[in-house]
Amino acid sequence: MAALAYTGGKREINYYFSVRSAKALALGAVLLLTACHAASRRYRGGDTCEYLLSSGRFLGEKVWQPHSCMMHKYKNSEAKNCLIDKHVVFIGDSRIRQLFYSFIKLINPQVKEEGIKHGNIPFEDKSASIKVDFLWYPEVNGSMRQRIKSWAEGSVAKPHIIVVGAATWSIKIHNGSNEALAQYKINITSIAPLLEKLAISSDVYWVLQDPVYEDMLSESRKMITNEKIDAYNEAAVRILNSSSRNSKAKVKVFSVSKLIAQETIMKSADGLHLPESSRDTNAMILMNVYCNKIMKPIDGSCCQPQPPLTLIQKIAFCFFTLSIFGYLIISLIHRNNYRKNKSCTDLESGEEKKPAISTPNVSTLEMLLHCFCKLGLIMTYFYLCDRANLFMKENKFYTHSSFFIPIVYILVLGVFYTENTKETKVLNREQTDEWKGWMQLVILIYHISGASTFLPVYMHIRVLVAAYLFQTGYGHFSYFWIKGDFGVYRVCQVLFRLNFLVVVLCIVMDRPYQFYYFVPLVTVWFMIIYATLAVWPQIVQKKANGSCMWHFGLLLKLICLLTCIYFLSYSQGAFEKIFSFWPLSKCFELNGNVYEWWFRWKLDRYVVFHGMLFAFIYLALQKHQMISEGKGDPLFSNRVSNVLLFISIVSFFTYSIWASSCKNKTECNELHPSVSVVQILAFILIRNIPGYVRSVYSSFFAWFGKISLELFICQYHIWLAADTKGILVLIPGYPMFNVLVSTFIFVCVAHEISQITNDLAQIVVPKDNSTLLKRLLCIAGFFSGLHFFSAMQDQSRH
C-alpha cells in the first residue's frame, strides 16, 4: 500500500505540473518581475550610488551588504591604480580622522595611527603620486568655511575628493545648547553653496554623525546624546543641496555610516568612536563610490554605469530581432495555408470533404527561425540579468547552514524519486545521468552559498569536477572503442553540443571563451581522446578481439598520452607556447595570457586518463565475463565483492578525512590530481558492487543530469550575478523566496536551451557528408566574420 501511494503521489505531481506548464509559469514570472523592476527604477530611481551611500545590512557580523548592488573589496594595488595622481582631503573631527586612517590603510596597510590628535595629518604615496590630507576642523565654523572657500573661489588647486563632517564638538563645547544648534544651521547654510560649487568638478561627501553608545560615554561627553545628533543630522540634510538645481553640483550625503554604527557602536571603546572593523567598512564604501566607475570591477556593481553595447552585441541583437520577425511571418503564412486547405463541410450533402493538399510539415527554415526566436528571447533575459542595471545583485556570504541544509533537501527529493533501471550494467546511462545530476546540484549550491571559502567543501567539490572529467574519459573512450566510429559527423555533433551555448554567450555577454572554463576543458579533452584513438593504428574492440597484441598496442598509446600529460603539467612554458599560437590564443587567453587555462588544465590533468583506463579495464572484464551484471547480482563473487566494498568505503572516507584536514589550498591542489581518482573509483564501486543498489536510480537526479551542462553554464548569468561573483536578486528583501523563484526560472531556461541545442544540432550537423561539408564552410565563415568584427571592436576600444 505504501509503495502504491508513493507511486501514485509521484504520478499526480507529474500530471499537474509538467515541464511545459513550468516553462509557461517561468515566462510569466520573468515578464512580471521585469515590469516591476523597470517601474521601480522609473519611479524610485535606480542610482546604486545612492543606495551604497544610504542603505544596506550586515551579512553575519562583519560583511556589509549595500541595498541592491555589490561592493568590491579593493586591494592595495587596485586602490593605488584608481587614485593615481589624485588629491583627497578629509576635513573634520576625530571621527573623520578615524575614517582618514582607514582610507589610507587601503593604499598602504603599514601606516600607523601616530599623527597629532588635534592637528593636520598629511599622507603621500610617491609611487602613485597620491596625496591624502586630514585637516583638523572639529566645528562647522568660519575657519572651515574659509578653507573650503579657498578651493571653491580661490586659485588653489581643488582636491579630487573632499570628505567633510563635524558636529560632536559643537555639542560638547556648548553643552548641547539650542543656541549651538542654531549657529550650526547658520554656518552650514553659509558653507553649503561653496560645497555645491566644488561638487561640480570634485566629489564632495558630507558624513552624517554616527549615533553614540550613551552608557559608555565619559562624564565630559554625556551631553552628546543621540537626540542631539539626530537634530544636527536633520539640519545638515535639509540645508545641503537645497539651493542646487544641477545634479552634478550635489553634495553626496554619506549616511550609511549611521546604519553601520547602529549595529556596532556597542563594541566601541569609549562610546563615541567606531570600532576598527566598522570604520574600515566605511572606508571601503567610500572607495567603491569613487573607484568603481573607474576600475569597473566585476564584483563591484555599485556606482557602475551600464556598459555600452559592443559592435558584436549590436549585430547579435539585429540577428535575433530579424529571426523573431522572420519566424512570425513564416508562421502566419503557414497558418493561413493550413486554414485554406483544412477540411470543410459540403453544404449540399452535409458530408465533410478531404483537403486536396495535406497539411505541410514544419520546414527546416521555420524550425531554425523558431529556435533562434526562442534563443533570442532567452538571451535578452541573460543580458537583463547580468549586463543591464535592471535587476539587483548582492554579494555572497557563506554559512554552514546555507550549504548543508539545501544538500539535505535535494537528497530527500532524490530518494523520493527512486525507480528501477532499464539495464543493470556498470555506469549505465541512467546511472551516469543520476551521477551528473546530483553532482551538478551540489556544485550549484556550493556556488550560490559561497562555500569556496570553506576549504574542506572546496576540496570535495574539486572531486566532483574531476568526476565530470572522469566521465568524459570513460564515455568517449567507450564509444570509440566499441563503435569504432571516428567520422566527422560524430566529432561535429559532440563539439556543437558542448560549445553552442558558450559561443552564443561569448557574443551576447561579451566574454572570452576561456571565461566558461569547463567547456574549453571538456572540449580539449574530447579532442585529445579522439586523437589518441583515431591516430594510426586505429585500435578498436572489434580489431583487438582478433589478437591480444592490439591490447598492448592500445596500452602503449595510453602510456604515450600519460607521458605527454606529465611533461606539459611540469613545463608551463611549453604549454603556454602551444596555446599562445593563433587561433588557439583567441580561445584560451584570459586577461592577455593563458595562465588561467594552464592552471585549470593542470588541476585535473590525470583524471581523464584514469577514466579512459577504467573504461578499458571494465570493458575487458565484461568481454571475458569476469563480472556479473544481472539484476540483483553482486558484481563479483560474494567474498570478492565484500572485500572490495570494504576497501572502497574505507578509501572514500579516508579521502574525506584528508580533504577535511587540509590547511592550505595550494598544497592540497598539488596533491589533488593524483589522489582525486581514489574517491571517484570508491564511489563507482560502492554504487555498483551491490546488485540491489545498481538496479535502482533516482529519476530526479537523472533529469537534472540530462541538462547538467546547460545548468553549469547558465548559472554564470541568470542565477548567480556579476559573472558568478554575486547573487541575482529578483525579489529584494526575501532571500529564501528570491532563491526559490530565481532557481525555478533558471532551471526552466536551462532545460529549454538544452532542447534548442538538440534541435539545432540536427539542422546544423546533418548526417549527409556533402551537406555537412557545406555547413562546416558556413561555420568557418561565421567564425571568420566574428574574428573580423572582434578585431574591429578591439581596435575601437584601444
Side-chain angles (χ1 to χ4, degrees), residues 506-525:
C506 288
I507 293 169
V508 173
M509 306 304 289
D510 190 30
R511 281 292 172 262
Y513 178 64
Q514 181 54 34
F515 175 76
Y516 307 93
Y517 75 93
F518 186 73
V519 169
L521 204 57
V522 291
T523 300
V524 167
W525 278 116

Side-chain angles (χ1 to χ4, degrees), residues 688-738:
N688 286 277
I689 286 176
Y692 62 92
V693 177
R694 197 174 64 250
S695 302
V696 295
Y697 80 107
S698 169
S699 57
F700 174 78
F701 289 142
W703 189 88
F704 285 99
K706 291 172 183 176
I707 59 170
S708 59
L709 183 66
E710 287 76 15
L711 288 171
F712 190 88
I713 300 167
C714 289
Q715 67 167 324
Y716 278 69
H717 303 296
I718 62 168
W719 197 51
L720 304 175
D723 297 339
T724 76
K725 303 293 183 182
I727 299 170
L728 179 67
V729 179
L730 299 176
I731 304 174
Y734 300 91
M736 290 302 298
F737 188 49
N738 173 69

Side-chain angles (χ1 to χ4, degrees), residues 180 211 247 358 413 445 453 540 557 577 596:
S247 61
S358 61
L413 282 171
I445 294 169
T453 56
V540 296
K557 277 189 172 187
K577 282 182 181 178
E596 179 71 15

Side-chain angles (χ1 to χ4, degrees), residues 394-584:
E394 289 189 352
N395 295 87
K396 299 177 185 177
F397 178 70
Y398 175 73
T399 61
H400 291 320
S401 60
S402 67
F403 176 76
F404 289 104
I405 290 176
I407 295 291
V408 174
Y409 286 164
I410 64 165
L411 285 176
V412 171
L413 282 171
V415 172
F416 179 74
Y417 279 90
T418 301
E419 298 179 8
N420 292 324
T421 58
K422 294 177 182 176
E423 55 179 343
T424 54
K425 291 181 180 180
V426 173
L427 293 180
N428 58 69
R429 183 59 182 268
E430 290 161 329
Q431 190 183 125
T432 53
D433 283 340
E434 174 204 82
W435 192 7
K436 289 177 183 177
W438 71 256
M439 286 195 303
Q440 185 57 61
L441 291 175
V442 172
I443 290 172
L444 290 173
I445 294 169
Y446 164 82
H447 281 151
I448 199 170
S449 63
S452 58
T453 56
F454 186 47
L455 193 53
V457 172
Y458 166 81
M459 291 308 300
H460 282 86
I461 295 299
R462 290 283 2 132
V463 175
L464 299 190
V465 175
Y468 267 99
L469 295 172
F470 181 93
Q471 287 194 50
T472 297
Y474 171 83
H476 291 307
F477 178 92
S478 299
Y479 178 86
F480 290 128
W481 176 251
I482 296 169
K483 301 283 187 181
D485 177 13
F486 296 100
V488 178
Y489 171 74
R490 166 69 182 179
V491 175
C492 292
Q493 276 277 328
V494 173
L495 292 180
F496 183 87
R497 291 173 187 274
L498 286 176
N499 290 276
F500 171 71
L501 175 57
V502 165
V503 170
V504 174
L505 287 177
C506 288
I507 293 169
V508 173
M509 306 304 289
D510 190 30
R511 281 292 172 262
Y513 178 64
Q514 181 54 34
F515 175 76
Y516 307 93
Y517 75 93
F518 186 73
V519 169
L521 204 57
V522 291
T523 300
V524 167
W525 278 116
F526 167 73
M527 294 307 298
I528 290 172
I529 296 166
Y530 177 79
T532 302
L533 298 177
V535 74
W536 183 89
Q538 287 185 2
I539 304 173
V540 296
Q541 190 179 56
K542 188 175 181 181
K543 183 186 286 188
N545 288 339
S547 172
C548 289
M549 291 301 295
W550 289 114
H551 286 91
F552 290 107
L554 180 61
L555 287 174
L556 187 62
K557 277 189 172 187
L558 293 178
I559 290 169
C560 290
L561 173 61
L562 181 61
T563 305
C564 292
I565 293 170
Y566 183 84
F567 170 74
L568 288 175
S569 64
Y570 288 98
S571 178
Q572 184 179 350
F575 184 94
E576 290 183 351
K577 282 182 181 178
I578 293 171
F579 288 96
S580 293
F581 284 115
W582 189 89
L584 291 178

Side-chain angles (χ1 to χ4, degrees), residues 4 20 42 46 60 100 461 485-486 513 551 593 634 643 658 683:
L4 285 172
R20 186 166 183 171
R42 177 80 172 82
F100 159 78
I461 295 299
D485 177 13
F486 296 100
Y513 178 64
H551 286 91
N593 59 69
V643 171
W658 170 79
F683 171 79

